[in-house]
Amino acid sequence: MSVAVRVIPCLDVDAGRVVKGVNFENLRDAGDPVELARLYGDGGADELTFLDVTASSGDRETTYDVVRRTAEQVFVPLTVGGGVRAPEDVDRLLRAGADKVGVNTAAIARPELITEIAHRFGNQVLVLSADARRCRDGAETESGFEVTTHGGRRGTGTDALEWIRRAEELGAGEILLNSMDADGTTDGFDLEMIRKARATVSIPLIASGGAGTAEHFVEAARAGADAVLAASVFHFGALSIVEVKEHMRAAGIEVR
């Protein structure tokens, strides 16, 4: 049975505002997260993802407040990531109104965090966020892709596909695969990376990074993505969720 492909707007939140840049740099303001979340919820989003892009350094309380206010007004599943380092952080986010929680840098530093969260809350709560790019600076991996940390600024030399396979074994319920090379470029998703990831894991795969046209979402779904995530094209009005879904339907892809 085929499962309908989900369309997910992503809100990168910095100090209580939505921001968007290219390759995680030159961030510009894209609005109030609660207001944008409500617009997307009313506009056909299947889920919403909040990524607290400065959580590692900034004040977490702002994020909990944004999550609480969003959960009161928006009635689609909400995934929150950024700065999650322990099961207690997951507990607080779920109590604030998140449905799922994303982990990234902390899981790379201590992979058993994935198992701890999955055991305590169930793997349906846990999204492993992997910021991956083509190897550079002399790094080499079998797949040609490596995992990065710190918002894509630091290469790890760890094979991205090996990492997501291990994360599935440790208990991740879903993979959010973000192409750092394509992020914010609007040139299209990294289809090679999506295909390789789809061949590596059996849990749901969310493709992120590079959406610029409605056709790009079709390409990502055909490459094996169970969900397609985008930010810039939605925030700045280039595309609406309804337009994307209509285009996908017309291409023969089942959407919600």
Side-chain angles (χ1 to χ4, degrees), residues 24-250:
F24 276 49
E25 292 179 351
N26 303 318
L27 300 178
R28 56 182 174 143
D29 190 279
D32 173 63
V34 182
E35 183 58 31
L36 268 176
R38 195 166 72 235
L39 286 172
Y40 290 142
D42 293 344
D46 297 308
E47 295 181 13
L48 290 168
T49 293
F50 276 1
L51 294 179
D52 183 350
V53 293
T54 48
S56 309
S57 51
D59 172 21
R60 294 315 310 273
E61 278 312 315
T62 308
T63 304
Y64 292 118
D65 179 56
V66 167
V67 171
R68 269 189 288 271
R69 290 189 293 126
T70 302
E72 284 165 9
Q73 297 186 38
V74 182
F75 304 103
V76 298
L78 177 62
T79 300
V80 183
V84 174
R85 296 185 189 89
E88 290 66 40
D89 297 324
V90 177
D91 189 51
R92 285 194 67 188
L93 284 167
L94 295 176
R95 287 174 190 273
D99 297 280
K100 296 189 262 190
V101 174
V103 295
N104 185 340
T105 302
I108 293 168
R110 203 172 66 80
E112 52 271 28
L113 175 65
I114 296 171
T115 306
E116 291 166 8
I117 293 169
H119 277 170
R120 182 161 162 190
F121 304 103
N123 62 358
Q124 78 286 348
V125 159
L126 183 58
V127 179
L128 179 91
S129 181
D131 293 334
R133 70 182 184 193
R134 283 178 160 69
C135 291
R136 60 173 88 145
D137 305 327
E140 281 184 37
T141 66
E142 193 175 326
S143 71
F145 295 97
E146 71 170 329
V147 175
T148 67
T149 61
H150 300 81
R153 287 185 290 279
R154 247 180 244 181
T156 61
T158 297
D159 190 311
L161 297 181
E162 177 56 32
W163 170 233
I164 63 172
R165 184 193 63 71
R166 187 169 175 216
E168 177 178 30
E169 286 178 355
L170 289 168
E174 205 163 21
I175 302 290
L176 168 54
L177 186 63
N178 188 33
S179 166
M180 303 314 299
D181 298 316
D183 177 74
T185 63
T186 68
D187 293 333
F189 293 92
D190 189 327
L191 302 179
E192 182 195 354
M193 188 160 78
I194 294 168
R195 285 191 197 99
K196 285 186 170 181
R198 177 71 292 156
T200 303
V201 296
S202 58
I203 52 178
L205 180 66
I206 306 165
S208 166
T213 68
E215 184 61 24
H216 289 156
F217 291 84
V218 171
E219 291 167 358
R222 286 185 175 148
D226 299 283
V228 277
L229 179 143
S232 310
V233 288
F234 295 141
H235 300 341
F236 301 119
L239 289 170
S240 72
I241 294 161
V242 170
E243 283 176 282
V244 168
K245 287 190 170 185
E246 283 176 353
H247 187 83
M248 291 174 79
R249 266 192 209 103

